[in-house]
Amino acid sequence: QLQLVESGGGLVQPGGSLRLSCSGSGFSLDYYTIGWFRQAPGKEREGIVLNNSGNSKTYYVDSVKGRITISRDNAKNKVFLRMNSLKPSDKAVFSCAAGFAIRSTLEPAQSDFWGQGTQVTVSS
């Protein structure tokens, strides 16, 4: 019915860059607020960036602000996360989530639905 699929993860050297993709199936992402989250081994999942539906407002967590860019390609029904200057501490499973509500924080809503995640490893 509704599905999100992340791609673009992999192994990158410190200081390198990756572009992650969140692809929608069964619905149009442009109608949804989209957030990117990460979960490092042994740590809780945290919100990284959130872009409200209609591209009205974007919120970033302080630890990545200035290093990441979220963008949409509605024709391809995708949302991208460009990450630069990656650090070993960025190693995590990155997931995207979608919901209807307009947000002012990075906290996910109960009704949000998620992709399965893509692994990002930053290592020399």
Side-chain angles (χ1 to χ4, degrees), residues 7-9 17-21 69 71 78 80-83:
S7 63
S17 299
L18 284 175
R19 189 185 71 165
L20 307 183
S21 177
T69 302
S71 61
K78 296 180 182 292
F80 300 104
L81 180 68
R82 175 73 178 184
M83 301 189 293

Side-chain angles (χ1 to χ4, degrees), residues 56-71:
S56 59
K57 187 71 174 181
T58 300
Y59 297 88
Y60 301 88
V61 69
D62 288 342
S63 61
V64 302
K65 190 173 184 178
R67 298 193 292 123
I68 64 172
T69 302
I70 188 170
S71 61

Side-chain angles (χ1 to χ4, degrees), residues 1 8 13 15-16 18 70 78 96 98 101 105:
Q1 190 177 99
Q13 302 297 314
L18 284 175
I70 188 170
K78 296 180 182 292
C96 61
T105 73

Side-chain angles (χ1 to χ4, degrees), residues 106-117:
L106 296 173
E107 190 72 22
Q110 185 75 21
S111 59
D112 291 346
F113 59 95
W114 298 76
Q116 294 300 307

Side-chain angles (χ1 to χ4, degrees), residues 19-110:
R19 189 185 71 165
L20 307 183
S21 177
C22 178
S23 300
S25 179
F27 67 106
S28 296
L29 290 182
D30 60 326
Y31 298 147
Y32 285 79
T33 292
I34 304 295
W36 283 95
F37 300 78
R38 67 181 180 185
Q39 186 167 21
K43 296 185 177 181
E44 295 182 352
R45 185 171 59 196
E46 65 171 341
I48 303 301
V49 61
L50 180 140
N51 178 246
N52 280 298
S53 61
N55 201 25
S56 59
K57 187 71 174 181
T58 300
Y59 297 88
Y60 301 88
V61 69
D62 288 342
S63 61
V64 302
K65 190 173 184 178
R67 298 193 292 123
I68 64 172
T69 302
I70 188 170
S71 61
R72 294 176 182 258
D73 187 337
N74 292 331
K76 297 181 179 179
N77 206 27
K78 296 180 182 292
V79 178
F80 300 104
L81 180 68
R82 175 73 178 184
M83 301 189 293
N84 300 319
S85 301
L86 286 164
K87 308 172 182 179
S89 58
D90 292 323
K91 178 182 178 181
V93 175
F94 284 73
S95 302
C96 61
F100 274 119
I102 300 297
R103 320 288 173 86
S104 58
T105 73
L106 296 173
E107 190 72 22
Q110 185 75 21

